[in-house]
Each structure stands twice: as structure tokens, then as C-alpha cells.
Amino acid sequence: MIIYVESNFVLELALEQEDAASAKTILSLAEQGVVELSFPVFALIEPYWTIGKNKLDRDNLYRLLYNQVKLLKRSEQHRALASVLDPVMEEMQKLYKKENDLLELSVRRLLKVGRPIAITGSVVAQSLSYQGQFDFTPQDAVIYAALMADLQQRDPAEVKCFTSRDTQFDDPGIKAELQLYNCRHIVEFRHALQYIESTNKPDDS
């Protein structure tokens, strides 16, 4: 069974978001050889941009808070509030390293067990068509074009699943196109995990 993932799967692991437990289990199943994990190589790059942008946003917020805390400390009636904010600001400064370290660990695990799909010139060319056809962002169009290029080279009889929390992929036209290659699209990682477990359940008959 082939499981296709993209950028938000990597971010789920790195940021330990609400469905991270299911994503971790899917990755573990790939490490055990239960499923094959495949992803466009671009999916390993885009999360670094996201985490970098989060850092810039937090840095801006930190500067605003820092100036406000300085003012609060000058006022006797507000010093208690300033003392509460100080440790919060310290933790904000540590977030980027924590997230980046976990992202690097996740990427290394994916590279070790998974199969990256190359972003070739033909994939980029096809992505331009998908932008108009499905109203994709350029990033999502590249992800989908890489996925389709790989599906066209796979055994049609092999069971496949594309799991992504990006609702742009949850489109009837996309689902129908994926079904032509025996591939299901599942939005939530926990539902994808349930599908994996049900598909790989031993036949008692």
C-alpha cells in the first residue's frame, strides 16, 4: 500500500499539532515496512519557509511586547503583570529552535524511510495547467502534478492513498481523477490511519 503525503504532514510532525499522533503512527508504519511512504521532494522544503515565517511574525510580536514590558516595569502597579510576561517572552525566543530541530528530525526520518518524488520540468509544466483547472496555488499545483506523475508510473492494481489536510485537494474532480489510479484522497491523518489499518487487516476467512 502506498501512502502519499505532502507539506502539511511534515508540519504536523514538526509542530506537534492536533493530529500529530496519527501522523507519527503512519510514519512508524512506513519504518516497519507496513506501507510505502512517498512525497514530492518540495514537501520537505516548504515547511522550512512556514517555520521561518512563523519566526518572523513572533519576532515582530516579541519586539512589541518587549517595549510594552519595559513600560510596565516602570509603573509600580503594573510590575506584577510585567513579571508574568517575562517568562512568556523567554519561551517565545526558544520556539524557533525547538520547531526547527523537530522539523529536521522529521525530514531525516522521512528521507530515510520514504521515497521522494522529483520535481522535474514536466511536473512544473503540468502544474501550470493544474493552477487554472483546479484554482490551485502554485505550491499545491506542483504537489499535485508530482503526485499525478508518480501515479501514472505505478501499478494500477496497487492500493494508494493521498492524505492531506489541505482542503484544496478535497475537490470532487480531484477525487475522481485520483480514483482512476486506485488512489483515495483522505483529509484527516487519523482517518487515513484508520483506512491503512482496515486495508491491512488480516483476512480471517
Side-chain angles (χ1 to χ4, degrees):
M1 183 178 188
I2 303 170
I3 308 298
Y4 290 100
V5 297
E6 53 110 355
S7 306
N8 52 45
F9 182 87
V10 185
L11 281 170
E12 197 79 13
L13 295 169
L15 301 181
E16 296 186 324
Q17 295 174 333
E18 58 268 23
D19 211 4
S22 298
K24 289 177 183 177
T25 302
I26 292 172
L27 179 54
S28 295
L29 290 173
E31 290 171 333
Q32 297 165 32
V34 176
V35 297
E36 177 187 325
L37 205 59
S38 195
F39 45 83
V41 69
F42 179 72
L44 302 184
I45 301 168
E46 191 177 16
Y48 285 97
W49 297 340
T50 302
I51 286 181
K53 183 182 182 302
N54 289 346
K55 179 182 184 300
L56 288 176
D57 291 342
R58 283 195 296 260
D59 285 348
N60 290 333
L61 177 60
Y62 179 88
R63 282 190 287 271
L64 291 172
L65 281 174
Y66 179 80
N67 291 331
Q68 287 299 312
V69 168
K70 280 181 64 177
L71 292 174
L72 290 171
K73 286 179 177 178
R74 295 176 60 185
S75 171
E76 185 174 346
Q77 62 178 320
H78 296 318
R79 282 174 190 159
L81 175 58
S83 66
V84 171
L85 291 173
D86 272 334
V88 173
M89 293 173 63
E90 288 178 15
E91 287 302 311
M92 284 179 63
Q93 291 291 84
K94 299 174 185 177
L95 281 177
Y96 175 72
K97 186 178 187 311
K98 289 179 179 178
E99 291 176 352
N100 200 65
D101 287 350
L102 194 50
L103 174 58
E104 183 175 325
L105 176 63
S106 301
V107 167
R108 289 184 183 279
R109 288 180 69 186
L110 283 163
L111 284 172
K112 186 174 181 180
V113 71
R115 191 180 65 84
I117 305 170
I119 306 299
T120 63
S122 60
V123 165
V124 174
Q126 182 60 47
S127 75
L128 300 177
S129 299
Y130 283 138
Q131 285 185 54
Q133 182 179 351
F134 295 115
D135 196 27
F136 278 149
T137 64
Q139 297 93 323
D140 286 343
V142 168
I143 293 286
Y144 189 66
L147 169 64
M148 291 304 300
D150 193 73
L151 283 171
Q152 290 163 10
Q153 299 176 36
R154 296 298 190 120
D155 181 355
E158 192 164 14
V159 178
K160 309 168 193 74
C161 171
F162 172 42
T163 180
S164 169
R165 297 187 67 181
D166 190 335
T167 55
Q168 277 206 302
F169 295 118
D170 195 32
D171 176 277
I174 291 173
K175 288 185 174 183
E177 189 169 37
L178 291 174
Q179 285 287 358
L180 296 174
Y181 300 94
N182 198 19
C183 181
R184 288 185 58 175
H185 173 251
I186 300 177
V187 176
E188 301 291 342
F189 300 133
R190 63 180 180 272
H191 294 157
L193 178 58
Q194 291 170 359
Y195 178 61
I196 292 168
E197 291 171 342
S198 65
T199 304
N200 285 280
K201 186 179 296 184
D203 189 353
D204 297 329
S205 59

mmCIF file of all heavy atoms in Angstrom, residues 9-16 24 27 31 37 39 44 47-48 99-114:
data_model
loop_
_atom_site.group_PDB
_atom_site.id
_atom_site.type_symbol
_atom_site.label_atom_id
_atom_site.label_comp_id
_atom_site.label_asym_id
_atom_site.label_seq_id
_atom_site.Cartn_x
_atom_site.Cartn_y
_atom_site.Cartn_z
ATOM 1 N N PHE A 9 1.802 17.276 6.247
ATOM 2 C CA PHE A 9 2.135 16.081 7.030
ATOM 3 C C PHE A 9 3.434 16.316 7.787
ATOM 4 O O PHE A 9 3.566 15.978 8.969
ATOM 5 C CB PHE A 9 2.268 14.873 6.092
ATOM 6 C CG PHE A 9 2.574 13.577 6.793
ATOM 7 C CD1 PHE A 9 1.556 12.783 7.299
ATOM 8 C CD2 PHE A 9 3.884 13.135 6.930
ATOM 9 C CE1 PHE A 9 1.841 11.573 7.937
ATOM 10 C CE2 PHE A 9 4.176 11.939 7.567
ATOM 11 C CZ PHE A 9 3.152 11.153 8.072
ATOM 12 N N VAL A 10 4.408 16.916 7.104
ATOM 13 C CA VAL A 10 5.705 17.213 7.714
ATOM 14 C C VAL A 10 5.529 18.247 8.828
ATOM 15 O O VAL A 10 6.103 18.116 9.917
ATOM 16 C CB VAL A 10 6.705 17.727 6.662
ATOM 17 C CG1 VAL A 10 8.088 17.911 7.278
ATOM 18 C CG2 VAL A 10 6.780 16.775 5.469
ATOM 19 N N LEU A 11 4.721 19.274 8.571
ATOM 20 C CA LEU A 11 4.479 20.306 9.581
ATOM 21 C C LEU A 11 3.721 19.749 10.783
ATOM 22 O O LEU A 11 3.941 20.174 11.921
ATOM 23 C CB LEU A 11 3.692 21.465 8.970
ATOM 24 C CG LEU A 11 4.504 22.454 8.135
ATOM 25 C CD1 LEU A 11 3.588 23.406 7.400
ATOM 26 C CD2 LEU A 11 5.489 23.225 9.019
ATOM 27 N N GLU A 12 2.833 18.801 10.533
ATOM 28 C CA GLU A 12 2.088 18.183 11.632
ATOM 29 C C GLU A 12 3.056 17.532 12.616
ATOM 30 O O GLU A 12 2.899 17.630 13.837
ATOM 31 C CB GLU A 12 1.108 17.138 11.093
ATOM 32 C CG GLU A 12 0.020 16.727 12.062
ATOM 33 C CD GLU A 12 -1.110 17.729 12.145
ATOM 34 O OE1 GLU A 12 -1.196 18.625 11.284
ATOM 35 O OE2 GLU A 12 -1.923 17.619 13.083
ATOM 36 N N LEU A 13 4.079 16.875 12.062
ATOM 37 C CA LEU A 13 5.095 16.232 12.888
ATOM 38 C C LEU A 13 5.965 17.268 13.595
ATOM 39 O O LEU A 13 6.235 17.161 14.794
ATOM 40 C CB LEU A 13 5.978 15.329 12.025
ATOM 41 C CG LEU A 13 5.310 14.125 11.362
ATOM 42 C CD1 LEU A 13 6.243 13.504 10.330
ATOM 43 C CD2 LEU A 13 4.916 13.079 12.415
ATOM 44 N N ALA A 14 6.403 18.284 12.845
ATOM 45 C CA ALA A 14 7.349 19.260 13.382
ATOM 46 C C ALA A 14 6.727 20.176 14.431
ATOM 47 O O ALA A 14 7.373 20.523 15.422
ATOM 48 C CB ALA A 14 7.934 20.098 12.245
ATOM 49 N N LEU A 15 5.465 20.566 14.217
ATOM 50 C CA LEU A 15 4.802 21.494 15.135
ATOM 51 C C LEU A 15 3.968 20.768 16.186
ATOM 52 O O LEU A 15 3.376 21.410 17.052
ATOM 53 C CB LEU A 15 3.914 22.468 14.348
ATOM 54 C CG LEU A 15 4.631 23.326 13.308
ATOM 55 C CD1 LEU A 15 3.647 24.262 12.611
ATOM 56 C CD2 LEU A 15 5.758 24.131 13.944
ATOM 57 N N GLU A 16 3.916 19.441 16.078
ATOM 58 C CA GLU A 16 3.150 18.612 17.019
ATOM 59 C C GLU A 16 1.727 19.143 17.168
ATOM 60 O O GLU A 16 1.240 19.410 18.265
ATOM 61 C CB GLU A 16 3.864 18.538 18.375
ATOM 62 C CG GLU A 16 5.219 17.847 18.276
ATOM 63 C CD GLU A 16 5.883 17.622 19.622
ATOM 64 O OE1 GLU A 16 5.732 18.497 20.495
ATOM 65 O OE2 GLU A 16 6.537 16.584 19.799
ATOM 66 N N LYS A 24 2.500 10.477 13.250
ATOM 67 C CA LYS A 24 3.644 9.720 13.778
ATOM 68 C C LYS A 24 3.437 8.216 13.584
ATOM 69 O O LYS A 24 4.378 7.488 13.252
ATOM 70 C CB LYS A 24 3.841 10.034 15.258
ATOM 71 C CG LYS A 24 4.377 11.420 15.539
ATOM 72 C CD LYS A 24 4.470 11.668 17.044
ATOM 73 C CE LYS A 24 4.942 13.080 17.340
ATOM 74 N NZ LYS A 24 4.974 13.359 18.804
ATOM 75 N N LEU A 27 4.047 7.319 9.970
ATOM 76 C CA LEU A 27 5.492 7.296 9.716
ATOM 77 C C LEU A 27 6.118 6.036 10.304
ATOM 78 O O LEU A 27 6.973 5.403 9.668
ATOM 79 C CB LEU A 27 6.138 8.551 10.310
ATOM 80 C CG LEU A 27 7.654 8.689 10.150
ATOM 81 C CD1 LEU A 27 8.082 8.570 8.688
ATOM 82 C CD2 LEU A 27 8.128 10.023 10.729
ATOM 83 N N GLU A 31 8.224 2.922 8.578
ATOM 84 C CA GLU A 31 9.522 2.436 9.063
ATOM 85 C C GLU A 31 9.504 0.935 9.321
ATOM 86 O O GLU A 31 10.526 0.267 9.219
ATOM 87 C CB GLU A 31 9.906 3.199 10.336
ATOM 88 C CG GLU A 31 10.249 4.659 10.059
ATOM 89 C CD GLU A 31 10.421 5.492 11.312
ATOM 90 O OE1 GLU A 31 9.808 5.159 12.354
ATOM 91 O OE2 GLU A 31 11.168 6.493 11.264
ATOM 92 N N LEU A 37 5.797 5.027 2.020
ATOM 93 C CA LEU A 37 5.526 6.449 2.137
ATOM 94 C C LEU A 37 6.213 7.181 0.989
ATOM 95 O O LEU A 37 7.405 6.990 0.738
ATOM 96 C CB LEU A 37 6.057 6.965 3.472
ATOM 97 C CG LEU A 37 5.411 8.219 4.070
ATOM 98 C CD1 LEU A 37 3.918 8.013 4.290
ATOM 99 C CD2 LEU A 37 6.089 8.577 5.382
ATOM 100 N N PHE A 39 6.423 11.089 -1.264
ATOM 101 C CA PHE A 39 6.116 12.522 -1.148
ATOM 102 C C PHE A 39 6.917 13.297 -2.176
ATOM 103 O O PHE A 39 8.052 12.939 -2.506
ATOM 104 C CB PHE A 39 6.473 13.024 0.254
ATOM 105 C CG PHE A 39 7.808 12.541 0.745
ATOM 106 C CD1 PHE A 39 8.982 13.181 0.395
ATOM 107 C CD2 PHE A 39 7.893 11.396 1.531
ATOM 108 C CE1 PHE A 39 10.212 12.714 0.831
ATOM 109 C CE2 PHE A 39 9.120 10.901 1.959
ATOM 110 C CZ PHE A 39 10.281 11.572 1.609
ATOM 111 N N LEU A 44 9.328 18.641 1.487
ATOM 112 C CA LEU A 44 10.321 18.710 2.555
ATOM 113 C C LEU A 44 10.944 20.099 2.659
ATOM 114 O O LEU A 44 11.624 20.406 3.633
ATOM 115 C CB LEU A 44 11.424 17.677 2.320
ATOM 116 C CG LEU A 44 10.983 16.215 2.213
ATOM 117 C CD1 LEU A 44 12.194 15.316 2.082
ATOM 118 C CD2 LEU A 44 10.144 15.806 3.422
ATOM 119 N N PRO A 47 7.985 23.354 4.397
ATOM 120 C CA PRO A 47 7.834 23.570 5.841
ATOM 121 C C PRO A 47 8.883 24.506 6.439
ATOM 122 O O PRO A 47 8.591 25.214 7.412
ATOM 123 C CB PRO A 47 7.957 22.162 6.427
ATOM 124 C CG PRO A 47 7.469 21.268 5.334
ATOM 125 C CD PRO A 47 7.979 21.905 4.080
ATOM 126 N N TYR A 48 10.093 24.532 5.874
ATOM 127 C CA TYR A 48 11.113 25.447 6.391
ATOM 128 C C TYR A 48 10.691 26.900 6.172
ATOM 129 O O TYR A 48 10.979 27.774 6.994
ATOM 130 C CB TYR A 48 12.462 25.165 5.728
ATOM 131 C CG TYR A 48 13.141 23.926 6.244
ATOM 132 C CD1 TYR A 48 13.033 22.709 5.572
ATOM 133 C CD2 TYR A 48 13.892 23.951 7.419
ATOM 134 C CE1 TYR A 48 13.652 21.560 6.057
ATOM 135 C CE2 TYR A 48 14.515 22.806 7.913
ATOM 136 C CZ TYR A 48 14.387 21.623 7.221
ATOM 137 O OH TYR A 48 15.002 20.493 7.709
ATOM 138 N N GLU A 99 11.155 24.113 17.123
ATOM 139 C CA GLU A 99 10.417 23.716 15.923
ATOM 140 C C GLU A 99 11.365 23.299 14.809
ATOM 141 O O GLU A 99 11.120 22.302 14.109
ATOM 142 C CB GLU A 99 9.529 24.866 15.459
ATOM 143 C CG GLU A 99 8.382 25.161 16.401
ATOM 144 C CD GLU A 99 7.558 26.366 15.982
ATOM 145 O OE1 GLU A 99 7.960 27.071 15.039
ATOM 146 O OE2 GLU A 99 6.499 26.597 16.598
ATOM 147 N N ASN A 100 12.452 24.041 14.630
ATOM 148 C CA ASN A 100 13.394 23.723 13.556
ATOM 149 C C ASN A 100 14.096 22.395 13.819
ATOM 150 O O ASN A 100 14.316 21.608 12.891
ATOM 151 C CB ASN A 100 14.415 24.850 13.417
ATOM 152 C CG ASN A 100 15.085 24.842 12.062
ATOM 153 O OD1 ASN A 100 14.463 25.058 11.031
ATOM 154 N ND2 ASN A 100 16.382 24.581 12.056
ATOM 155 N N ASP A 101 14.431 22.137 15.080
ATOM 156 C CA ASP A 101 15.084 20.864 15.426
ATOM 157 C C ASP A 101 14.152 19.685 15.158
ATOM 158 O O ASP A 101 14.568 18.649 14.616
ATOM 159 C CB ASP A 101 15.497 20.856 16.897
ATOM 160 C CG ASP A 101 16.702 21.744 17.172
ATOM 161 O OD1 ASP A 101 17.333 22.209 16.198
ATOM 162 O OD2 ASP A 101 17.008 21.981 18.360
ATOM 163 N N LEU A 102 12.881 19.842 15.536
ATOM 164 C CA LEU A 102 11.916 18.761 15.322
ATOM 165 C C LEU A 102 11.617 18.585 13.836
ATOM 166 O O LEU A 102 11.429 17.455 13.363
ATOM 167 C CB LEU A 102 10.627 19.051 16.091
ATOM 168 C CG LEU A 102 9.647 17.879 16.255
ATOM 169 C CD1 LEU A 102 10.352 16.635 16.769
ATOM 170 C CD2 LEU A 102 8.522 18.275 17.206
ATOM 171 N N LEU A 103 11.610 19.691 13.094
ATOM 172 C CA LEU A 103 11.416 19.609 11.645
ATOM 173 C C LEU A 103 12.569 18.849 11.003
ATOM 174 O O LEU A 103 12.354 17.967 10.163
ATOM 175 C CB LEU A 103 11.310 21.006 11.047
ATOM 176 C CG LEU A 103 11.257 21.086 9.510
ATOM 177 C CD1 LEU A 103 10.086 20.284 8.953
ATOM 178 C CD2 LEU A 103 11.164 22.545 9.054
ATOM 179 N N GLU A 104 13.792 19.171 11.407
ATOM 180 C CA GLU A 104 14.955 18.477 10.841
ATOM 181 C C GLU A 104 14.904 16.987 11.156
ATOM 182 O O GLU A 104 15.203 16.149 10.286
ATOM 183 C CB GLU A 104 16.238 19.090 11.403
ATOM 184 C CG GLU A 104 17.500 18.472 10.807
ATOM 185 C CD GLU A 104 18.769 19.160 11.263
ATOM 186 O OE1 GLU A 104 18.746 20.393 11.455
ATOM 187 O OE2 GLU A 104 19.789 18.457 11.417
ATOM 188 N N LEU A 105 14.517 16.641 12.382
ATOM 189 C CA LEU A 105 14.395 15.230 12.759
ATOM 190 C C LEU A 105 13.344 14.531 11.902
ATOM 191 O O LEU A 105 13.566 13.408 11.416
ATOM 192 C CB LEU A 105 14.022 15.125 14.240
ATOM 193 C CG LEU A 105 13.760 13.711 14.777
ATOM 194 C CD1 LEU A 105 15.026 12.858 14.676
ATOM 195 C CD2 LEU A 105 13.274 13.773 16.223
ATOM 196 N N SER A 106 12.215 15.188 11.688
ATOM 197 C CA SER A 106 11.130 14.609 10.881
ATOM 198 C C SER A 106 11.569 14.414 9.438
ATOM 199 O O SER A 106 11.286 13.379 8.824
ATOM 200 C CB SER A 106 9.894 15.510 10.940
ATOM 201 O OG SER A 106 9.439 15.679 12.263
ATOM 202 N N VAL A 107 12.248 15.415 8.883
ATOM 203 C CA VAL A 107 12.722 15.331 7.499
ATOM 204 C C VAL A 107 13.718 14.191 7.346
ATOM 205 O O VAL A 107 13.673 13.436 6.363
ATOM 206 C CB VAL A 107 13.340 16.673 7.059
ATOM 207 C CG1 VAL A 107 14.121 16.518 5.754
ATOM 208 C CG2 VAL A 107 12.258 17.732 6.892
ATOM 209 N N ARG A 108 14.628 14.044 8.313
ATOM 210 C CA ARG A 108 15.612 12.955 8.242
ATOM 211 C C ARG A 108 14.925 11.587 8.281
ATOM 212 O O ARG A 108 15.318 10.662 7.561
ATOM 213 C CB ARG A 108 16.617 13.083 9.382
ATOM 214 C CG ARG A 108 17.593 14.246 9.230
ATOM 215 C CD ARG A 108 18.629 14.261 10.345
ATOM 216 N NE ARG A 108 19.513 15.397 10.238
ATOM 217 C CZ ARG A 108 20.567 15.466 9.429
ATOM 218 N NH1 ARG A 108 20.864 14.425 8.659
ATOM 219 N NH2 ARG A 108 21.328 16.543 9.403
ATOM 220 N N ARG A 109 13.907 11.450 9.118
ATOM 221 C CA ARG A 109 13.177 10.184 9.191
ATOM 222 C C ARG A 109 12.459 9.897 7.875
ATOM 223 O O ARG A 109 12.478 8.754 7.380
ATOM 224 C CB ARG A 109 12.171 10.213 10.335
ATOM 225 C CG ARG A 109 12.782 10.136 11.714
ATOM 226 C CD ARG A 109 11.713 10.179 12.790
ATOM 227 N NE ARG A 109 10.893 8.959 12.795
ATOM 228 C CZ ARG A 109 9.821 8.793 13.558
ATOM 229 N NH1 ARG A 109 9.417 9.780 14.362
ATOM 230 N NH2 ARG A 109 9.124 7.661 13.514
ATOM 231 N N LEU A 110 11.852 10.936 7.305
ATOM 232 C CA LEU A 110 11.145 10.762 6.038
ATOM 233 C C LEU A 110 12.107 10.388 4.918
ATOM 234 O O LEU A 110 11.799 9.517 4.089
ATOM 235 C CB LEU A 110 10.395 12.041 5.691
ATOM 236 C CG LEU A 110 9.088 12.275 6.461
ATOM 237 C CD1 LEU A 110 8.653 13.725 6.364
ATOM 238 C CD2 LEU A 110 7.991 11.364 5.930
ATOM 239 N N LEU A 111 13.246 11.025 4.874
ATOM 240 C CA LEU A 111 14.225 10.719 3.827
ATOM 241 C C LEU A 111 14.775 9.303 3.969
ATOM 242 O O LEU A 111 15.074 8.642 2.976
ATOM 243 C CB LEU A 111 15.381 11.724 3.877
ATOM 244 C CG LEU A 111 15.077 13.115 3.319
ATOM 245 C CD1 LEU A 111 16.235 14.058 3.606
ATOM 246 C CD2 LEU A 111 14.818 13.046 1.816
ATOM 247 N N LYS A 112 14.873 8.847 5.211
ATOM 248 C CA LYS A 112 15.420 7.511 5.451
ATOM 249 C C LYS A 112 14.463 6.414 5.017
ATOM 250 O O LYS A 112 14.862 5.385 4.467
ATOM 251 C CB LYS A 112 15.766 7.354 6.935
ATOM 252 C CG LYS A 112 16.488 6.054 7.264
ATOM 253 C CD LYS A 112 16.923 6.047 8.719
ATOM 254 C CE LYS A 112 17.676 4.755 9.054
ATOM 255 N NZ LYS A 112 18.103 4.736 10.487
ATOM 256 N N VAL A 113 13.167 6.638 5.247
ATOM 257 C CA VAL A 113 12.197 5.570 5.011
ATOM 258 C C VAL A 113 11.353 5.794 3.761
ATOM 259 O O VAL A 113 10.847 4.843 3.162
ATOM 260 C CB VAL A 113 11.271 5.412 6.243
ATOM 261 C CG1 VAL A 113 10.324 6.591 6.371
ATOM 262 C CG2 VAL A 113 10.524 4.107 6.202
ATOM 263 N N GLY A 114 11.182 7.053 3.363
ATOM 264 C CA GLY A 114 10.253 7.362 2.283
ATOM 265 C C GLY A 114 10.910 7.423 0.915
ATOM 266 O O GLY A 114 12.120 7.268 0.764
#
